[in-house]
Structures are given as C-alpha cells and as structure tokens.
C-alpha cells in the first residue's frame, strides 16, 4: 500500500506529542496537553519515483488500553519509543512495550524499524537520570536505533525520523 504507519509510544509526559508536533508543524509548547490519540499525515518520497503517506500516530502512552496498543502495533510499520532522559521510570515503562512489539511482530521483527529516543536532552546534567551510554546499550540489546533529542530546542528531531525511515528495507523512504 501507499501508507507508511509509524506509532509513537512512551510514558505520559516524555514528549511524544511535542516531538510529533515539532516534526510535523515545527512548533513547541511548554504547556502540557494530555493527548487523545491523534494521527498526522505527511507526503514522503517512496522508491525514488513515487510518493507515499507517512502516517504518524501520537499514542496516549500507557493510558491506552492493552488491546488498542496491540492493534496499533499490528497495524504499524515502524515504531518510535520515547523516554525522557530525566526520568528512569519513563525508561522502565518502555520495557513491556518492547516485549509486546516483539510478541506481536514475531519472527518479522528483524524487518521492523524501531528507534529508541531519549528526549529532553536540553535539561541540565543535574536533572539527568539516564546516561547516554545507558540508552545506547539498551538499543544494542533491543537491536534498534538510538538517538537523543530535544523537542524544545529542535535538536535531532528531523534526524530521528530520517533514521527511522532509513531503517526500512522493503521500500526506499525519504522525507
Ligand atoms: P507526552 O505526554 O509524551 O505527549 O508529552 P508532551 O509532549 O505533552 O510533553 C510533556 C511536557 O514536557 C510538556 O510540558 C512539554 O513542554 C515538555 N517537553 C516536551 N519535550 C521536551 C523537551 O525536549 N525538553 C524539555 N525541557 N521539555 C519538553
Ligand atoms: Mg501526548
């Protein structure tokens, strides 16, 4: 099909909506707005000569019902797993999500692009609970990509989605 579906997962407050808004609209807000699941669409280039629709679903994180989460995973082509570098708990919330993605995708998991994202890297070192090396090590265990971002400062947001699309083997996708 011509849709490429990306789901963004992570605990409440890590910056899922901020990263999505920053990427899609180029904006950022300091105000916390709890999300109702929302999908954004953008046209991207596919296999050099054609286009497809990049569909990004900003999930409600752990407030999503388990059955809804599994459905988002079974429909999704690629996944963005976000924690905040200032919150160890937010990193730990990703562990069951990684497990569930592996369960739902089964043996096809090797072909599924996944990016692990440490957001809020603009926060001062005194507030950091997850070192960069820790995120890197986890991404190697989970065989996924890794990047640290700041939705606030627009640091590595475009790069995050570029890296994710570059991991897709079945089509050649470009922003
Ligand atoms: P979500 O619940 O995962 O969708 O998180 P939000 O995108 O709603 O962000 C939660 C809070 O964190 C908001 O107050 C945002 O302004 C703030 N926030 C999001 N991204 C960043 C970031 O990169 N740096 C900092 N310092 N704050 C951020
Ligand atoms: Mg949100």
């Amino acid at each position: 099909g011509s849709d490429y579906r990306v789901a963004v997962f992570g605990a409440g407050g890590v910056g899922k909506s901020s990263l999505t808004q920053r990427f899609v609209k180029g904006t950022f807000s300091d105000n916390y707005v709890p999300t109702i699941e929302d999908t954004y669409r953008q046209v991207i280039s596919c296999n050099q000569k054609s286009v497809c629709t990049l569909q990004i679903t900003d999930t409600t994180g752990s407030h999503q019902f388990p059955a809804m989460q599994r459905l988002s995973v079974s429909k999704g082509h690629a996944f963005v797993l976000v924690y905040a570098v200032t919150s160890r708990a937010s990193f730990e919330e990703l562990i069951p999500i990684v497990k569930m993605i592996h369960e739902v995708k089964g043996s096809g998991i090797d072909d599924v692009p996944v990016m692990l994202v440490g957001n809020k890297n603009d926060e001062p070192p005194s507030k950091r609970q997850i070192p960069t090396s820790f995120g890197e090590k986890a991404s190697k265990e989970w065989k996924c990509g890794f990047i640290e971002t700041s939705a606030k400062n627009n640091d590595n947001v475009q790069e995050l989605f570029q890296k994710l699309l570059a991991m897709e083997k079945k089509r050649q996708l470009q922003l």
Side-chain angles (χ1 to χ4, degrees):
S2 59
D3 266 8
Y4 193 73
R5 291 183 293 274
V6 174
V8 182
F9 285 108
V14 297
K16 297 179 297 298
S17 300
S18 299
L19 284 167
T20 307
Q21 302 280 332
R22 174 61 91 183
F23 176 68
V24 173
K25 298 183 185 162
T27 60
F28 177 80
S29 165
D30 273 314
N31 299 320
Y32 179 84
V33 183
T35 316
I36 302 168
E37 188 167 288
D38 235 332
T39 297
Y40 300 85
R41 290 173 185 80
Q42 199 159 313
V43 173
I44 59 171
S45 129
C46 186
N47 300 330
Q48 320 276 21
K49 51 189 183 292
S50 70
V51 293
C52 75
T53 305
L54 176 63
Q55 203 174 296
I56 304 172
T57 300
D58 173 15
T59 74
T60 54
S62 39
H63 300 295
Q64 214 182 20
F65 293 109
M68 281 281 287
Q69 241 178 27
R70 296 184 85 91
L71 188 64
S72 310
V73 171
S74 71
K75 287 191 306 185
H77 295 108
F79 302 95
V80 175
L81 309 181
V82 188
Y83 63 93
V85 298
T86 49
S87 163
R88 174 165 290 273
S90 74
F91 183 90
E92 279 161 9
E93 275 200 41
L94 289 178
I95 297 168
I97 294 175
V98 170
K99 206 178 147 217
M100 190 260 294
I101 292 174
H102 279 251
E103 268 169 31
V104 171
K105 294 302 188 187
S107 59
I109 188 68
D110 291 341
D111 294 333
V112 177
V114 177
M115 283 296 290
L116 178 65
V117 180
N119 189 44
K120 307 198 184 184
N121 81 343
D122 57 278
E123 292 279 12
S126 61
K127 282 203 182 173
R128 192 184 263 269
Q129 293 188 358
I130 302 285
T132 305
S133 59
F134 189 93
E136 238 157 29
K137 189 163 165 272
S139 74
K140 279 177 189 144
E141 267 168 42
W142 295 340
K143 297 188 171 71
C144 65
F146 173 68
I147 198 165
E148 283 190 351
T149 58
S150 167
K152 185 171 186 167
N153 292 354
N154 196 15
D155 181 24
N156 272 346
V157 179
Q158 192 89 357
E159 287 82 354
L160 152 63
F161 286 94
Q162 265 162 358
K163 273 189 146 190
L164 184 74
L165 295 183
M167 289 170 87
E168 178 59 55
K169 294 169 189 160
K170 290 172 197 152
R171 329 179 200 176
Q172 206 186 332
L173 302 172
Q174 271 177 316
L175 294 178

